[in-house]
């Protein structure tokens, strides 16, 4: 039986596969499934040629396997192959006539989740007629929405299935362009009931469709131009649509409700029920349209407006001055002063803006908003709460390693390496059984196409450790060989691609990223050597406190171990430990250094821990001393280091400080305004004592792990920021997922570190205030809030960065003003004072008015009112100049009066 299948496949006798399968019993077909799967893998292997590639199997061979799979497999084994078999419709028809699988109907019904299928609505109708499929409404609606033709072939299509289309449209391709004119035509011909379709369009607002599908139904509703009589008839559906999560749907409902406000049948009380949620929307157009409808209701002197007046107070949730002003004018004009309206507005009184407050004097108590001052907490990089939770035994390590594989970055990676050094030799007959799932996870992870470079190193280390354990515990770990062999086979299929890098084999031979990853690979090789030799001497660079810090105490203790064991530490491991060492309160550890260490270890740490000390002693390891100098005092040139041979490294890399400017490309470039930062090129030099730093700065490629390197240079982040800014932030319009992810990961890492910023840190933060991604901007605001609370934020420097960008309109001002209104304003007295300083120094960079300058000035005026301050005297000349602009005249005069 198997031999016959092999023969048909090898000789490409596609015409013989169906007769062969017909003669088999159900059980015989089941026994063929493993063989079919094996043959499928073989013919699906990629064969590379000089100019292209193709699969190992021919078209006939693929057809043979497709047919055999469909006939012999159950639904679980056949999977979700909605394409291959159905390309040949005639062949499919013959197979179904001979023997339709019992799972076929369910299989076809499930196809609504497929991205693409080789069958269509007409095929489904044919299969349903022959009894092969019992189509669900979802299936018919989905496939009909993809096919705006042949609608008259079946009477059920327009009578029944079209309405399924309204309830269950395609998720992936909403509708082709032919559908809207076609629907208009069919309605005009009375083939589709107009009133029913209008109602279905409105119901789509709350059917949880995606944005495009919902938008299509709103467009369809608008294009049919419903009359006022029809709108009144559909008033309940219009009101219900106000609760939609899609802003286009809500705006559509509001636009049509506005038309029927004058009608006596308009349901004012129902509208007032929805108004608070509408006015609380984050979408300004929804709020503005809701206010317009509300004003129309009052203008038409409608009855039953008491609840409407109370609901109107919700408009003051918004911190947008135009919204608040509009709401205040409606209240002043149409709502008399009463206890009820005063009570309703009292809940929002603290949110009413300074410019709006005078107009509502009769409705709200005129009192200055009292905010608490921030209770300053001492900023601590390392504390008991942030202490790293290291594995405490071999069993702990086995539970920890899967977490380390799943987590990005170096924190878990470092603790995993430290745990392997400490506990790898502790495996015994009982505990080693815990290793198999760890080994399996490492194999499964490393077998993927795209694997983070740190994961490649960790998984390879685990796998090689596992292979060594197999020799000691062959019975307990008998399954490892099978797991490893399968992983090798998976990798072999990928090695034909020139872009694939081998991940299995000795750790020293594998590829784990570019130049920047070489120090980490070097340290990982040292870890494996320690595991093999049973050397439990700890790594110096393993973090002791989240997210990346090595405590000064731990550094002293680890050096002492190497000193007492008379073991020479690894050069790059020492440098990484120095780079990660927390330098707060290190002067308190000088006595500990004096007591515990001697020789170069002692001299090195006495220099490193003393903020103003000069280097003294024998410089046997120049790379250690250079790293200590750069980390402790970036920008300081130590004459004692002049003969170390590092003079060829550009000064920017040693100081972490770069020249930058925002430049106008005179509107003739694809990037009209750019953030230009000068990052020198650097190629790795061959030297006896290379710096850890050199590997990172020599990395010329885009590098997805760049944010992870913040954990390797936490004291000197300038080089990481410079690389991210140059690659991902040179233009505010970059929307690619890759760049956005890098920037977000960098911002989140900075937020975790809670470290005062340097010049490049302020450039990064001031730039991401204006980023196109809302989550990135929100993270920037969180960093600002926390640093202001700890009194470590220089708002002058930060304001200068943001102001220099916006002086040339590098990004829309609205991004920043929305951020201020929603996240930075009125947090505390201290934050309002800091915000005043920030806005002052943004405005001081401005020259001629930029788009939306009024918005910044409005917020500045609001902050001054809250702080009971006056406009900065250095700004007054600019304000006098700007007030010549008609749109700025009023706000500039208000600021000049303060």
């Amino acid at each position: 039986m198997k031999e016959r299948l092999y023969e048909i496949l090898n000789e490409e006798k596609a015409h013989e596969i169906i007769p062969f399968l017909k003669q088999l019993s159900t059980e015989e077909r089941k026994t063929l499934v493993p063989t079919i799967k094996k043959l499928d893998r073989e013919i699906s292997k990629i064969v590379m040629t000089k100019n292209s590639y193709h699969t190992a199997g021919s078209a006939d061979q693929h057809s043979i396997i497709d047919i055999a799979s469909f006939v012999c497999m159950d639904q679980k084994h056949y999977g979700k192959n909605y394409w291959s078999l159905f390309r040949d419709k005639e062949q499919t028809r013959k197979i179904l006539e001979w023997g339709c699988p019992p799972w076929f109907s369910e299989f076809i019904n499930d196809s609504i989740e497929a991205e693409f299928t080789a069958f269509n609505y007409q095929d489904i109708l044919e299969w349903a007629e022959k009894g092969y499929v019992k189509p669900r409404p979802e299936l018919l609606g989905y496939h009909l929405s993809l096919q705006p033709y042949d609608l008259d072939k079946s009477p059920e299509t327009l009578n029944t299935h079209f309405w399924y289309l309204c309830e269950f449209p395609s998720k992936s391709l909403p509708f082709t362009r032919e559908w809207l004119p076609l629907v208009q035509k069919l309605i005009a011909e009375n083939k589709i009931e107009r009133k029913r379709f209008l109602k279905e369009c409105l119901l789509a607002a709350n059917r949880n469709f995606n944005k495009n599908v919902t938008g299509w139904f709103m467009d369809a509703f608008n294009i049919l131009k419903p009359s006022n009589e029809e709108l009144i008839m559909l008033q309940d559906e219009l009101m219900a649509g106000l609760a939609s999560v899609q802003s286009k749907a809500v705006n559509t409902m509001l636009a049509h409700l506005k038309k029927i406000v004058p009608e006596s049948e308009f349901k004012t009380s129902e509208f007032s029920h929805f108004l608070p949620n509408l006015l609380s929307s984050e979408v300004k157009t929804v709020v503005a349209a809701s206010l317009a409808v509300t004003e129309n209701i009052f203008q038409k002197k409608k009855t039953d407006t008491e609840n409407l007046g109370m609901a109107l107070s919700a408009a003051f949730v918004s911190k947008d001055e135009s919204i608040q002003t509009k709401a205040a004018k409606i209240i002043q004009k149409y709502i008399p002063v009463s206890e009820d309206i005063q009570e309703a507005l009292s809940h929002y009184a603290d949110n009413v803006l300074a410019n709006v407050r005078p107009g509502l004097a009769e409705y709200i108590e005129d009192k200055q908003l009292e905010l608490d001052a921030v209770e300053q907490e001492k900023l601590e990089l390392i504390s008991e709460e942030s202490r790293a939770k290291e594995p405490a035994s071999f069993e702990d390590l086995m539970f920890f390693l899967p977490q380390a594989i799943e987590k990005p970055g170096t924190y878990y990676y470092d603790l995993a390496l430290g745990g392997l050094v400490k506990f790898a030799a502790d495996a015994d007959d009982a505990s080693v059984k815990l290793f198999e799932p760890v080994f399996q996870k490492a194999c499964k992870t490393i077998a993927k196409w795209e694997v983070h470079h740190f994961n490649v190193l960790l998984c390879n280390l685990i796998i090689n450790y596992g292979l060594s354990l197999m020799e000691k515990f062959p019975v307990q770990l008998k399954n490892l060989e099978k797991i490893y062999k399968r992983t090798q086979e998976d990798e072999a299929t990928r090695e034909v691609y020139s872009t694939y890098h081998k991940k299995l084999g000795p750790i020293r031979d594998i590829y784990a990223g570019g130049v920047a990853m070489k120090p980490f690979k070097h340290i990982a090789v040292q870890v494996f050597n320690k595991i093999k030799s049973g050397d439990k001497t700890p790594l110096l660079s393993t973090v002791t406190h989240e997210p990346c810090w090595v405590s000064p105490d731990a550094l002293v203790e680890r050096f002492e171990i190497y000193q007492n064991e008379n073991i020479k530490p690894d050069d790059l491991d020492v440098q990484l430990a120095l780079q990660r060492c927390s330098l707060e309160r290190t002067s308190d550890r000088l006595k500990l250094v004096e007591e515990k260490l001697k020789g170069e270890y002692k001299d090195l740490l006495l220099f490193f821990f003393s903020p103003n000390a000069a280097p003294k002693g024998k410089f046997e390891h120049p790379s250690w001393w250079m790293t200590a100098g750069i980390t402790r005092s970036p920008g300081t040139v130590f004459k004692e280091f002049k003969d170390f041979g590092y003079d060829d490294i550009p000064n920017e890399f040693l100081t972490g400080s770069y020249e930058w400017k925002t430049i106008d490309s005179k509107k003739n470039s694809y990037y009209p305004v750019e953030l230009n930062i000068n990052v020198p090129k650097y190629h790795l030099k061959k030297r006896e004592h290379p710096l850890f730093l050199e590997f990172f700065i020599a990395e010329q490629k885009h590098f997805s792990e760049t944010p992870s390197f913040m954990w390797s240079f936490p004291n000197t982040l300038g080089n990481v920021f410079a690389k991210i800014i140059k690659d991902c932030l040179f233009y505010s319009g970059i929307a690619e997922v890759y760049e956005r992810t890098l920037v977000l990961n960098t911002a989140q890492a900075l937020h975790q570190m809670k470290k005062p910023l340097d010049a490049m840190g302020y450039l990064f933060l001031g730039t991401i205030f204006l980023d196109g991604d809302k989550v990135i901007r929100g993270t920037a605001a969180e960093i600002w809030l926390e640093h202001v609370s700890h009194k470590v934020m220089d708002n002058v420097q930060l304001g200068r960065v943001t102001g220099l960008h916006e002086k040339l309109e590098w990004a829309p001002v609205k991004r920043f003003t929305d951020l201020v209104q929603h996240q930075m304003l009125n947090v505390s007295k201290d934050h309002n004072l800091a915000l005043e300083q920030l806005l002052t120094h943004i405005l001081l960079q401005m020259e001629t008015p930029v788009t939306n300058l009024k918005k910044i000035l409005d917020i500045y005026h609001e902050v001054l009112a809250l702080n009971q301050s006056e406009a900065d005297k250095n700004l007054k000349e600019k304000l006098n100049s700007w007030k010549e602009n008609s749109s700025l005249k009023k706000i500039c005069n208000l600021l000049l009066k303060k």
Side-chain angles (χ1 to χ4, degrees):
M1 189 169 60
K2 292 179 184 177
E3 290 75 12
R4 177 63 178 141
L5 180 59
Y6 274 105
E7 181 185 330
I8 293 171
L9 187 74
N10 292 334
E11 296 181 14
E12 301 184 23
K13 295 179 179 178
H15 62 283
E16 294 186 10
I17 186 63
I18 292 179
F20 164 66
L21 294 171
K22 273 186 177 182
Q23 68 187 20
L24 301 179
S25 67
T26 304
E27 284 305 313
E28 285 174 326
R29 287 178 204 149
K30 281 184 183 178
T31 59
L32 270 183
V33 170
T35 305
I36 294 168
K37 285 190 165 189
K38 181 182 177 185
L39 293 174
D40 189 28
R41 283 196 300 270
E42 288 179 6
I43 66 170
S44 298
K45 286 181 180 176
I46 301 297
V47 177
M48 301 295 294
T49 62
K50 186 175 182 181
N51 299 317
S52 66
Y53 62 90
H54 58 81
T55 60
S58 66
D60 278 343
Q61 286 177 321
H62 281 290
S63 178
I64 290 165
I65 291 300
D66 290 341
I67 295 168
S69 299
F70 183 73
V71 171
C72 297
M73 292 180 182
D74 56 21
Q75 188 177 359
K76 179 182 176 183
H77 285 98
Y78 190 69
K80 294 182 177 180
N81 187 350
Y82 298 110
W83 167 251
S84 60
L85 179 75
F86 303 96
R87 286 174 295 189
D88 187 334
K89 297 289 175 67
E90 185 59 27
Q91 176 181 275
T92 305
R93 186 179 61 77
K94 288 178 181 177
I95 296 171
L96 290 172
E97 284 176 356
W98 157 54
C100 177
W103 47 265
F104 185 69
S105 181
E106 184 181 348
F107 171 75
I108 296 299
N109 275 304
D110 287 346
S111 70
I112 57 170
E113 301 298 331
E115 288 187 20
F116 191 75
T117 61
F119 50 86
N120 58 31
Y121 173 75
Q122 295 298 339
D123 295 322
I124 293 167
L125 290 186
E126 183 184 330
W127 294 336
E129 187 180 344
K130 293 183 178 180
Y132 304 147
V133 175
K134 291 181 180 177
R136 294 199 293 261
E138 295 95 317
L139 180 75
L140 292 163
Y142 171 89
H143 281 281
L144 179 58
S145 67
L146 303 177
Q147 182 186 309
Y149 50 84
D150 293 337
L151 302 182
D152 295 326
K153 278 191 174 182
S154 168
E156 283 192 304
T157 298
L158 290 179
N159 293 338
T160 306
H161 300 169
F162 176 78
W163 304 109
Y164 294 158
L165 176 152
C166 295
E167 196 172 349
F168 308 106
S170 163
K171 298 182 182 70
S172 54
L173 297 169
F175 298 91
T176 56
R177 65 181 62 186
E178 294 91 349
W179 264 114
L180 273 179
L182 180 60
V183 168
Q184 286 179 280
K185 177 175 175 290
L186 292 168
I187 288 174
E189 294 171 355
N190 293 320
K191 291 181 179 179
I192 291 177
E193 185 188 340
R194 175 183 170 88
K195 289 180 180 178
R196 184 177 176 185
F197 181 68
L198 286 172
K199 184 176 181 179
E200 290 293 335
C201 287
L202 297 180
L203 292 174
N206 289 313
R207 278 182 168 154
N208 210 22
F209 296 154
N210 69 39
K211 186 177 178 180
N212 292 331
V213 174
T214 305
W216 186 90
F217 280 106
M218 297 306 110
D219 290 339
F221 188 82
N222 290 331
I223 210 167
L224 290 172
K225 297 179 180 176
S227 65
N228 280 11
E229 290 75 18
E230 287 173 321
L231 292 174
I232 290 167
M233 179 189 71
L234 294 167
Q235 193 173 178
D236 288 341
E237 286 76 24
L238 284 165
M239 292 286 186
L242 295 174
S244 175
V245 296
Q246 303 282 0
S247 61
K248 182 169 182 175
V250 177
N251 279 324
T252 299
M253 307 300 158
L254 288 166
H256 290 289
L257 283 169
K258 189 176 179 181
K259 295 175 186 176
I260 58 171
V261 165
E263 306 293 337
S264 59
E265 295 96 328
F266 183 81
K267 299 177 178 179
T268 303
S269 61
E270 280 84 344
F271 180 76
S272 65
H273 173 74
F274 287 99
L275 190 58
N277 281 339
L278 292 170
L279 295 176
S280 302
S281 171
E282 291 184 7
V283 182
K284 187 176 177 180
T285 55
V286 169
V287 180
S290 303
L291 288 173
V293 174
T294 305
E295 187 172 26
N296 266 24
I297 294 171
F298 282 118
Q299 285 172 346
K300 302 303 176 186
K301 296 184 170 55
K302 292 274 183 182
T303 57
D304 196 23
T305 56
E306 288 181 20
N307 289 337
L308 198 66
M310 302 302 104
L312 192 58
S313 60
F316 297 99
V317 166
S318 170
K319 290 185 179 178
D320 186 286
E321 187 172 343
S322 63
I323 295 294
Q324 288 203 10
T325 301
K326 180 72 174 172
K329 285 180 178 177
I330 296 172
I331 289 170
Q332 288 173 266
K333 190 171 182 179
Y334 298 108
I335 303 175
V337 178
S338 68
E339 286 186 11
D340 287 341
I341 188 65
Q342 287 176 326
E343 170 68 20
L345 283 170
S346 68
H347 298 297
Y348 303 95
D350 290 348
N351 220 40
V352 178
L353 298 173
N355 287 350
V356 179
R357 189 173 285 273
L360 294 173
E362 294 181 80
Y363 297 85
I364 58 176
E365 187 180 347
D366 188 16
K367 64 175 184 179
Q368 180 67 29
L369 177 63
E370 288 292 327
L371 291 172
D372 294 331
V374 172
E375 187 176 331
Q376 186 182 352
E377 295 179 31
K378 188 165 180 62
L379 183 64
E380 290 186 318
L381 300 181
I382 59 173
S383 64
E384 199 54 44
E385 290 74 31
S386 66
R387 186 176 291 280
K389 296 171 180 62
E390 301 176 67
S393 64
F394 179 84
E395 288 81 0
D396 268 5
L397 180 64
M398 292 304 102
F399 290 113
F400 181 83
L401 288 176
Q403 294 180 59
I405 291 171
E406 289 175 3
K407 305 283 186 181
T410 59
Y411 173 73
Y412 286 88
Y413 169 83
D414 282 320
L415 293 178
L417 262 57
L420 283 166
V421 169
K422 196 170 182 181
F423 302 114
D426 293 357
D428 57 33
D429 290 349
S431 63
V432 79
K433 293 175 184 176
L434 297 170
F435 184 72
E436 184 178 321
V438 179
F439 186 84
Q440 189 162 22
K441 188 174 185 68
C443 286
K444 189 175 180 181
T445 302
I446 209 168
K448 296 175 183 175
W449 268 97
E450 297 293 333
V451 188
H452 286 294
H453 298 318
F454 288 106
N455 256 356
V456 172
L457 290 174
L458 179 57
C459 291
N460 180 282
L461 201 54
I462 290 168
I463 290 167
N464 281 310
Y465 170 52
L467 296 177
S468 67
L469 282 180
M470 279 171 56
E471 298 174 10
K472 296 180 185 175
F473 305 99
V475 176
Q476 293 88 338
L477 301 177
K478 61 180 184 296
N479 291 330
L480 263 57
E481 187 174 359
K482 185 166 63 176
I483 296 168
Y484 184 63
K485 188 176 179 182
R486 190 164 59 241
T487 310
Q488 282 182 307
E489 288 171 358
D490 286 344
E491 182 168 68
T493 63
R494 298 192 175 107
E495 286 185 74
V496 295
Y497 293 93
S498 58
T499 55
Y500 183 79
H501 297 289
K502 194 168 176 63
K503 303 183 185 81
L504 295 175
I507 192 165
R508 65 178 177 276
D509 298 336
I510 63 161
Y511 175 86
V515 180
M517 286 299 298
K518 285 186 176 180
F520 292 99
K521 179 180 170 181
H522 173 87
I523 292 171
V525 170
Q526 301 309 310
V527 168
F528 187 63
N529 291 338
K530 283 175 175 288
I531 292 171
K532 282 199 303 182
S533 65
D535 176 9
K536 292 193 174 188
T537 315
L539 291 174
L540 289 157
S541 58
T542 304
V543 298
T544 60
H545 291 76
E546 297 179 4
C548 57
W549 300 108
V550 173
S551 75
D553 289 347
L555 189 59
V556 174
E557 288 167 12
R558 291 170 184 174
F559 268 131
E560 186 185 19
I561 292 170
Y562 279 87
Q563 174 182 276
N564 294 344
E565 298 287 335
N566 199 24
I567 298 173
K568 184 180 178 182
D570 180 76
D571 188 45
L572 291 171
D573 185 33
V574 173
Q575 292 183 58
L576 184 55
L578 292 168
Q579 289 165 186
R580 286 177 170 167
C581 185
S582 166
L583 294 176
E584 58 180 5
R585 299 191 300 277
T586 48
S587 53
D588 299 344
R589 305 301 189 277
L590 293 174
K591 186 178 179 184
L592 186 69
V593 174
E594 292 275 10
E595 290 174 356
K596 302 275 188 182
L597 301 179
K598 55 191 176 186
E600 190 178 21
Y601 296 147
K602 176 181 173 182
D603 296 335
L604 176 70
L605 292 193
L606 286 176
F607 161 67
F608 188 51
F609 288 174
S610 305
N612 302 309
K616 295 177 184 175
K618 287 186 178 180
F619 305 138
E620 296 174 37
H621 296 85
S623 57
W624 301 1
W625 289 91
M626 193 71 183
T627 298
I630 295 168
T631 304
R632 194 202 76 178
S633 308
T636 302
V637 177
F638 295 98
K639 64 181 186 300
E640 292 86 353
F641 299 167
K642 62 182 174 57
D643 297 326
F644 285 178
Y646 299 115
D647 301 346
D648 52 355
I649 300 176
N651 198 49
E652 290 91 336
F653 297 132
L654 301 177
T655 62
S657 184
Y658 295 75
E659 293 293 324
W660 66 274
K661 58 184 175 181
T662 314
I663 58 172
D664 188 344
S665 301
K666 307 301 180 190
K667 310 296 180 187
N668 61 357
S669 163
Y670 184 73
Y671 305 118
V673 182
E674 292 183 52
L675 168 51
N676 192 294
I677 185 167
N678 181 30
V679 180
K681 295 285 184 187
Y682 184 75
H683 298 286
L684 197 63
K685 306 292 190 299
K686 286 188 177 181
R687 42 174 127 241
E688 187 181 353
H689 302 287
L691 298 180
F692 194 109
L693 169 72
E694 290 183 80
F695 294 93
F696 179 69
I697 61 177
E699 181 60 73
Q700 301 296 312
K701 298 176 185 173
H702 277 285
F703 194 53
S704 60
E705 268 81 4
T706 299
S708 298
F709 279 79
M710 294 179 72
W711 305 146
S712 299
F713 303 98
N715 290 294
T716 52
L717 294 171
N719 295 315
V720 179
F721 287 139
K723 192 177 280 288
I724 292 291
I725 290 165
K726 184 176 178 64
D727 290 345
C728 308
L729 290 170
F730 62 92
Y731 172 55
S732 74
I734 290 179
E736 279 75 10
V737 173
Y738 176 79
E739 280 83 2
R740 213 163 56 226
T741 302
L742 277 184
V743 174
L744 178 59
N745 289 344
T746 305
Q748 289 172 337
L750 180 60
H751 188 209
Q752 279 182 272
M753 292 179 75
K754 309 184 190 311
K755 186 180 182 299
L757 305 176
D758 59 12
M760 296 307 296
Y762 282 110
L763 174 59
F764 177 75
L765 183 62
T767 303
I768 63 170
F769 267 149
L770 307 169
D771 196 89
D773 186 280
K774 190 175 181 180
V775 178
I776 292 171
R777 293 199 304 275
T779 307
E782 290 298 322
I783 293 168
W784 181 82
L785 291 169
E786 191 164 60
H787 283 226
V788 168
S789 296
H790 288 303
K791 302 284 195 290
V792 292
M793 176 55 66
D794 184 346
N795 288 290
V796 174
Q797 196 168 356
L798 184 64
R800 179 176 172 272
V801 169
T802 307
L804 286 172
H805 289 340
E806 290 309 83
K807 172 184 176 179
L808 296 177
E809 298 190 63
W810 181 77
V813 166
K814 188 176 184 300
R815 291 179 185 173
F816 177 67
T817 53
D818 284 354
L819 188 68
V820 171
Q821 285 183 315
H822 293 121
Q823 284 186 252
M824 298 165 68
L825 184 64
N826 271 352
V827 175
S828 74
K829 281 183 180 178
D830 295 317
H831 287 90
N832 279 348
L833 290 168
L835 189 56
E836 178 185 335
Q837 193 177 39
L838 176 65
L839 291 167
T840 297
H841 287 275
I842 289 173
L843 292 166
L844 282 171
Q845 308 308 316
M846 304 284 186
E847 292 175 1
T848 56
V850 299
T851 306
N852 264 338
L853 176 60
K854 181 179 181 298
K855 190 70 179 171
I856 300 182
L857 293 172
D858 284 339
I859 295 172
Y860 186 51
H861 180 254
E862 174 69 17
V863 173
L864 292 178
L866 291 167
N867 292 341
Q868 299 182 337
S869 305
E870 291 187 4
D872 186 275
K873 61 182 180 181
N874 296 315
L875 259 181
K876 291 189 175 177
E877 186 180 336
K878 290 181 184 289
L879 293 170
N880 276 312
S881 167
W882 291 342
K883 73 179 182 180
E884 301 303 317
N885 184 304
S886 58
S887 65
L888 300 177
K889 184 175 182 180
K890 181 181 176 183
I891 185 61
C892 286
N893 282 330
L894 283 171
L895 286 165
L896 287 165
K897 285 178 187 175
K898 280 196 166 289

